[in-house]
Amino acid sequence: MDSFISKFFRQSSHYALGELLIFAAGFISFPILTRALTLSDYGVMSVYSATLWIFMAFSRAGLSEASVRFFPEYGSKDDPVRRATFFSSLFTGTVGIVIPLVLVILLFGEKLFTLLFDKPMPYLHLLLAGQILANTLYTRTQSFWRAEQRSRDYTLALVISRYFILLISLAFLFFVSKTLISFFVGTLIAELLIALFLVILFFREAKPSLKLFSGPLFRECLQFGLPLVGYELGYLALKSADRYILQFMLGAESVGIFSVASNMAHYTKELICVPLLFALMPIYLQIWHEKGKEETIKFVSLVANYAVLLVLPIFFCFVLLRHELITILASDKYAPAAQLLPWIVAGTMISSLLAIYGAGLYIAKKTRTISLYVVASVGVDIALNFILIHYFGMLGSCYAHLIVYSLLACAIYYSAAKTLPLRIQPKTIGVAILASAAMLGTGYLYPDIHGFVGLVFKAVVCCGIYGLMVFGTHRQIREPLVALAAARLSRLKIKATQAN
């Protein structure tokens, strides 16, 4: 079990570094694009990006998660034919899905964009078709690396790709033509080059063959993956429905304030929680396949205990620093968002742990159940937003956010526990609450802060107090981290000895 925990921490650190560097790329591009593009161009880009995201949900067809789910059953190097059949079936099937979708966009995409923008938008449909092709092939090759637990290769490709796309797209924007179309063309060229490189690399490594395509295997993967299209679209609706209802009931200003708090919560989720959960699924599926149910329960339960120790301080840190976070990172005009932040963060943290409390459904291949719960949650979310916004204003939408994600978590956990019941230790909850109280006490005694550096320093001090208390009082946290550090130090010593 210790080896799997060490692997989990190691792979999580790779994904976390990748997310941090991708986040930095966003910081670079955002001020450049907001200055180089007109307000109209920025609006077109937003609608185009949302359209791309929707079509990508269909082109992916949930096969990225299927790649991870079925790899332990088919990907063993001890059976090269079965392994090649797995890669050949998923890649060939992906091409068989994306090509018809690209053709549909080429035939009808121009009319779609004319309808969306109420005027002709030439070339956008061509760009959309190209990006869907490039992104689908990129996603498929990357999903194989994630399934193989090649977290370092996955992260390296992700970061290099993101910065290469940024470089080429901005070069086209500033040196070819300062238009949105030029920016999109640069983006497409970069994405096609990256996809071509990764596909060539995939063929050299996996050696897929059309002759090895297995219809039954691909149908099984589709049965697992297609319901996740509903999950993706439902999740998008959960993220956006509140904004439309706020716009309808309270106006655009309330949407802006709510969006600042919501985006801050989602950035935190992407930077901190997603890397941990991204590493989780391939490992627990490997344990299930190799060690059985009981060992899988032990591993996922241990990670669930880690998650409790992670999300509680995040929530209390936002409670403590909510005013400073909003006024320093956004501006004083968004100050009302501070009262929304803790509620939104609480709901977002609950939603981010789906890979943990829903593990049993993924193992049992019951993705349809997950999708049904998410789609049903959309209806509940819309109803609660209308009711609670009427009585509580913007806070009502935050309450709805928290209630819906809490109900969704309970429903998914109850269904998943039939296959994989989790065990949260009371000691973990006690340590998390005690350490959080110490963190809050430190924060309230801390002098007033000014500026971004002061905010970062206060957050580091408060989180450091929390971390030290958890490390000192919780053996199950301390021992794997010490073992991981010792193993890393040992490898460095070996490398230094070999170098000498």
Side-chain angles (χ1 to χ4, degrees):
M1 184 60 66
D2 288 344
S3 64
F4 288 114
I5 291 297
S6 297
K7 181 190 292 187
F8 172 71
F9 279 121
R10 184 174 65 255
Q11 293 184 13
S12 296
S13 67
H14 295 159
Y15 292 127
L17 179 60
E19 289 292 337
L20 183 61
L21 293 173
I22 294 299
F23 190 69
F27 263 115
I28 295 170
S29 63
F30 180 74
I32 296 174
L33 292 177
T34 51
R35 287 162 174 79
L37 300 175
T38 65
L39 283 173
S40 176
D41 284 341
Y42 213 79
V44 170
M45 185 169 67
S46 298
V47 174
Y48 177 87
S49 298
T51 307
L52 174 63
W53 196 95
I54 292 171
F55 276 105
M56 281 299 300
F58 288 100
S59 72
R60 286 192 296 260
L63 293 176
S64 294
E65 298 302 320
S67 302
V68 178
R69 174 60 188 87
F70 288 93
F71 181 79
E73 299 176 20
Y74 293 91
S76 173
K77 292 183 179 179
D78 296 333
D79 191 342
V81 174
R82 186 176 174 86
R83 181 182 172 91
T85 299
F86 172 77
F87 288 129
S88 301
S89 301
L90 276 170
F91 186 82
T92 304
T94 297
V95 173
I97 291 172
V98 72
I99 294 299
L101 184 60
V102 166
L103 291 175
V104 168
I105 293 168
L106 290 174
L107 290 172
F108 303 106
E110 191 170 9
K111 293 181 180 179
L112 171 65
F113 282 116
T114 300
L115 183 65
L116 287 174
F117 294 105
D118 201 26
K119 63 178 181 180
M121 300 294 289
Y123 309 118
L124 276 190
H125 67 295
L126 302 177
L127 295 165
L128 180 66
Q131 281 198 273
I132 288 172
L133 177 63
N135 281 298
T136 301
L137 295 178
Y138 171 87
T139 302
R140 185 59 57 249
T141 56
Q142 287 290 82
S143 70
F144 292 143
W145 283 2
R146 184 186 169 209
E148 293 179 277
Q149 300 182 40
R150 294 167 60 179
S151 56
R152 185 174 299 173
D153 294 336
Y154 181 101
T155 300
L156 186 63
L158 180 68
V159 172
I160 291 175
S161 299
R162 182 67 183 91
Y163 280 90
F164 180 70
I165 293 168
L166 179 62
L167 176 65
I168 301 301
S169 60
L170 291 181
F172 267 74
L173 179 63
F174 287 104
F175 299 110
V176 177
S177 173
K178 289 189 176 181
T179 62
L180 183 62
I181 291 295
S182 180
F183 175 78
F184 281 156
V185 169
T187 301
L188 176 58
I189 290 173
E191 289 179 348
L192 286 172
L193 289 173
I194 292 166
L196 179 62
F197 174 79
L198 289 175
V199 168
I200 292 173
L201 189 62
F202 166 70
F203 269 80
R204 289 180 60 184
E205 292 181 349
K207 296 178 173 55
S209 170
L210 186 61
K211 295 178 181 179
L212 291 175
F213 176 80
S214 169
L217 170 58
F218 186 65
R219 281 195 297 272
E220 189 177 9
C221 290
L222 274 182
Q223 288 172 357
F224 178 90
L226 278 178
L228 293 176
V229 175
Y231 166 78
E232 286 194 56
L233 297 176
Y235 191 71
L236 176 63
L238 280 176
K239 287 176 64 178
S240 56
D242 43 23
R243 289 165 171 79
Y244 287 108
I245 298 171
L246 282 168
Q247 171 70 33
F248 174 74
M249 297 183 70
L250 300 179
E253 186 174 323
S254 66
V255 178
I257 292 171
F258 180 88
S259 296
V260 166
S262 179
N263 290 342
M264 196 170 289
H266 282 286
Y267 289 149
T268 304
K269 170 187 170 181
E270 295 294 325
L271 280 172
I272 299 175
C273 297
V274 168
L276 298 176
L277 304 176
F278 215 60
L280 175 65
M281 187 176 176
I283 298 176
Y284 74 61
L285 288 172
Q286 178 189 357
I287 298 172
W288 179 270
H289 186 71
E290 295 178 0
K291 305 289 185 180
K293 179 176 180 178
E294 191 57 36
E295 288 299 310
T296 308
I297 291 173
K298 289 179 182 177
F299 173 75
V300 179
S301 295
L302 188 55
V303 174
N305 280 269
Y306 292 152
V308 170
L309 292 168
L310 178 66
V311 298
L312 275 181
I314 292 175
F315 170 72
F316 285 116
C317 199
F318 273 97
V319 170
L320 181 66
L321 301 174
R322 61 188 184 277
H323 295 292
E324 293 93 334
L325 284 166
I326 295 297
T327 56
I328 292 175
L329 296 182
S331 69
D332 288 334
K333 67 181 179 181
Y334 292 107
Q339 65 174 330
L340 313 180
L341 198 53
W343 300 99
I344 295 178
V345 168
T348 302
M349 290 300 102
I350 291 171
S351 73
S352 70
L353 302 180
L354 171 64
I356 296 177
Y357 54 73
L361 291 176
Y362 282 103
I363 289 172
K365 304 174 184 176
K366 294 181 178 179
T367 49
R368 186 175 299 177
T369 301
I370 298 174
S371 295
L372 287 174
Y373 283 142
V374 171
V375 171
S377 297
V378 175
V380 176
D381 183 57
I382 292 172
L384 283 176
N385 265 282
F386 274 111
I387 295 170
L388 296 177
I389 290 173
H390 175 75
Y391 288 102
F392 302 102
M394 286 186 292
L395 272 173
S397 187
C398 302
Y399 298 154
H401 178 84
L402 178 57
I403 292 170
V404 166
Y405 280 119
S406 298
L407 291 174
L408 179 62
C410 291
I412 290 178
Y413 173 73
Y414 176 78
S415 297
K418 297 173 184 177
T419 301
L420 201 77
L422 302 182
R423 303 159 185 162
I424 304 295
Q425 297 179 356
K427 178 183 177 181
T428 297
I429 299 173
V431 167
I433 293 174
L434 182 64
S436 296
M439 180 181 73
L440 286 173
T442 303
Y444 285 123
L445 293 174
Y446 196 91
D448 292 338
I449 59 174
H450 303 282
F452 179 75
V453 174
L455 172 63
V456 171
F457 194 76
K458 182 175 180 179
V460 169
V461 169
C462 292
C463 292
I465 293 294
Y466 178 90
L468 287 173
M469 286 199 64
V470 170
F471 190 83
T473 58
H474 205 302
R475 181 176 58 83
Q476 281 189 302
I477 293 293
R478 181 174 60 254
E479 289 182 352
L481 290 176
V482 170
L484 184 63
R488 180 63 177 170
L489 185 60
S490 177
R491 286 195 297 270
L492 291 174
K493 286 181 179 180
I494 292 171
K495 288 181 180 179
T497 303
Q498 291 174 344
N500 293 331

